Amino acid sequence: MDPRIREHAEIIADHSTGIEAGDDVVIQLPAEAEDLAVALHEICGDRGANPVYLNYSKRAERAFKRSSAEFAEPSHRRALYEETDVFVIARGGANVTEDADVDPETNAAYNRAMEEVKRERLSKTWCLTQYPTAGHAQLAGMSTEAYEDFVWDAVSLDWEAQRAFQAEMVEILNDADEVRIRSGEGTDLTLDVSGNAALNDHGEANLPGGEVFTAPVRDGVHGEVHFDLPLYRYGREIDGVRLRFEDGEVVSHAAERNEDLLAGILDTDEGSRRLGELGIGMNRQIDRFTYNMLFDEKMGDTVHMAVGSAYPDTVGEENDLNESAEHVDMIVDMSEDSVIEVDGEVVQRDGTFAFEDGF
């Protein structure tokens, strides 16, 4: 076994989740990530934790979606989640386009059925990570070996140093009432964040981490945004997304590629037409776009926004939580002709933060 796999497992167990004696742990990984599952099981055994291994297959999930006339909440799965202390989930299947032929309406219906189950999982200690596979390497335009280096270099960052660097942005956002994002001619968006909390993602729930994120007030988003980097969703690429918001709601949308898939996401439920997250990428180790949102949204010269559900910990007691069966992140490249303003003060210009050299 590559020693970096064991190191990956140790970072998950020590830094991301704090697995300890007596913990009931669900390890949900694709078959391609079995070595990581083995390493995690060894750690659980060493510590007296109790693992359950779920082999996640996107091929099997696709078959279920395409053959079902309707979806019901899987109560047995929810029962497992209710009894679980720690979840470890990894991406890394063989075929990243496995579910490309599932229609948007089916995906939306499936997500609605899974909404409460997903909410239960997110209430526990969890970590989402990536196992480097040939399929994801191909999507990123990299050799398998180069992609392995890329993933494990990003995972094994000095997370305490990253936390300290990002803490400066957390402090700025926690005192903020309004954030304005301007980029090129297509993005000028104002977000009310008053009363909401900014969180420091330093490799815990997401591994790798590397962002500071908050939620906009549900009705407090106005203006237009051009997401000029593509995203991969349900095995298909959505490119050139443009959204216009009024009173927090998407009132018009367009995409240069797979607009039908974007429309299906926005039509999932009432909450999927509102923003649940504003994230600011701050991980300088992630220096290239790979069509993998777990990495791409952390790039240092980007911001991302998610239509759909908000993380409850980011929403203040006086504000409403945006709820949805969807949470779809989309990215704006902030490296050129771009600024982030917080309460009228520029805090990032062309990707460089006010507290960095060269601002």
Side-chain angles (χ1 to χ4, degrees), residues 141-193:
M142 302 170 71
S143 68
T144 303
E145 181 179 358
Y147 189 67
E148 289 173 347
D149 292 342
F150 170 78
V151 169
W152 283 320
D153 285 349
V155 163
S156 59
L157 206 61
D158 181 340
W159 292 113
E160 180 54 34
Q162 188 69 26
R163 183 206 63 76
F165 170 58
Q166 294 174 181
E168 298 197 58
M169 195 68 216
V170 172
E171 184 176 353
I172 290 172
L173 285 179
N174 271 337
D175 292 333
D177 291 320
E178 182 181 275
V179 178
R180 184 180 182 188
I181 309 293
R182 293 188 285 124
S183 182
E185 297 181 356
T187 296
D188 190 347
L189 195 70
T190 301
L191 305 96
D192 180 358
V193 296

Side-chain angles (χ1 to χ4, degrees), residues 56-197:
Y56 173 70
S57 167
K58 187 167 283 189
R59 184 182 174 198
E61 184 178 275
R62 169 193 174 273
F64 176 63
K65 287 180 179 179
R66 284 172 57 89
S67 62
S68 296
E70 59 183 38
F71 302 102
E73 178 187 305
S75 57
H76 58 308
R77 186 169 178 176
R78 182 173 180 177
L80 171 65
Y81 287 11
E82 288 172 347
E83 296 298 322
T84 299
D85 300 307
V86 176
F87 285 88
V88 178
I89 304 170
R91 296 172 177 169
N95 182 0
V96 296
T97 63
E98 189 65 64
D99 54 355
D101 54 359
V102 179
D103 65 74
E105 292 79 10
T106 298
N107 282 319
Y110 179 79
N111 286 339
R112 287 193 294 268
M114 292 294 296
E115 185 174 3
E116 292 301 321
V117 176
K118 179 181 177 182
R119 186 174 290 116
E120 181 65 33
R121 175 174 63 77
L122 291 175
S123 72
K124 305 301 178 72
T125 299
W126 59 275
C127 175
L128 170 65
T129 191
Q130 175 74 39
Y131 188 82
T133 62
H136 279 86
Q138 186 175 32
L139 185 64
M142 302 170 71
S143 68
T144 303
E145 181 179 358
Y147 189 67
E148 289 173 347
D149 292 342
F150 170 78
V151 169
W152 283 320
D153 285 349
V155 163
S156 59
L157 206 61
D158 181 340
W159 292 113
E160 180 54 34
Q162 188 69 26
R163 183 206 63 76
F165 170 58
Q166 294 174 181
E168 298 197 58
M169 195 68 216
V170 172
E171 184 176 353
I172 290 172
L173 285 179
N174 271 337
D175 292 333
D177 291 320
E178 182 181 275
V179 178
R180 184 180 182 188
I181 309 293
R182 293 188 285 124
S183 182
E185 297 181 356
T187 296
D188 190 347
L189 195 70
T190 301
L191 305 96
D192 180 358
V193 296
S194 55
N196 285 347

Side-chain angles (χ1 to χ4, degrees), residues 163 166-179 191-201 211-217 278 280 282 311-317 319 340-343 347 355:
R163 183 206 63 76
Q166 294 174 181
E168 298 197 58
M169 195 68 216
V170 172
E171 184 176 353
I172 290 172
L173 285 179
N174 271 337
D175 292 333
D177 291 320
E178 182 181 275
V179 178
L191 305 96
D192 180 358
V193 296
S194 55
N196 285 347
L199 300 185
N200 190 336
D201 169 21
E211 65 171 292
V212 171
F213 65 100
T214 188
V217 173
L278 166 66
I280 299 173
M282 299 185 68
Y311 294 105
D313 288 348
T314 63
V315 179
E317 293 182 0
N319 291 330
I340 301 174
E341 298 177 10
V342 175
D343 293 334
V347 300
F355 44 83

Side-chain angles (χ1 to χ4, degrees), residues 229-303:
L229 291 177
L231 68 144
Y232 223 70
R233 189 74 173 179
Y234 303 123
R236 296 162 66 189
E237 180 183 345
I238 308 176
D239 198 9
V241 173
R242 295 177 184 270
L243 303 178
R244 184 164 65 88
F245 290 86
E246 293 180 5
D247 298 324
E249 185 176 9
V250 175
V251 295
S252 67
H253 66 271
E256 296 170 10
R257 185 176 184 185
N258 285 321
E259 186 173 359
D260 65 319
L261 183 54
L262 173 65
I265 291 168
L266 295 174
D267 289 340
T268 298
D269 49 40
E270 198 276 335
S272 61
R273 285 188 168 268
R274 297 179 183 273
L275 286 185
E277 180 189 359
L278 166 66
I280 299 173
M282 299 185 68
N283 189 334
R284 301 297 187 195
Q285 183 67 41
I286 301 173
D287 58 0
R288 61 180 295 165
F289 182 77
T290 61
Y291 286 95
N292 185 335
M293 193 60 69
L294 184 61
F295 292 79
D296 298 339
E297 68 176 6
K298 314 300 192 322
M299 289 190 297
D301 297 343
T302 64
V303 298

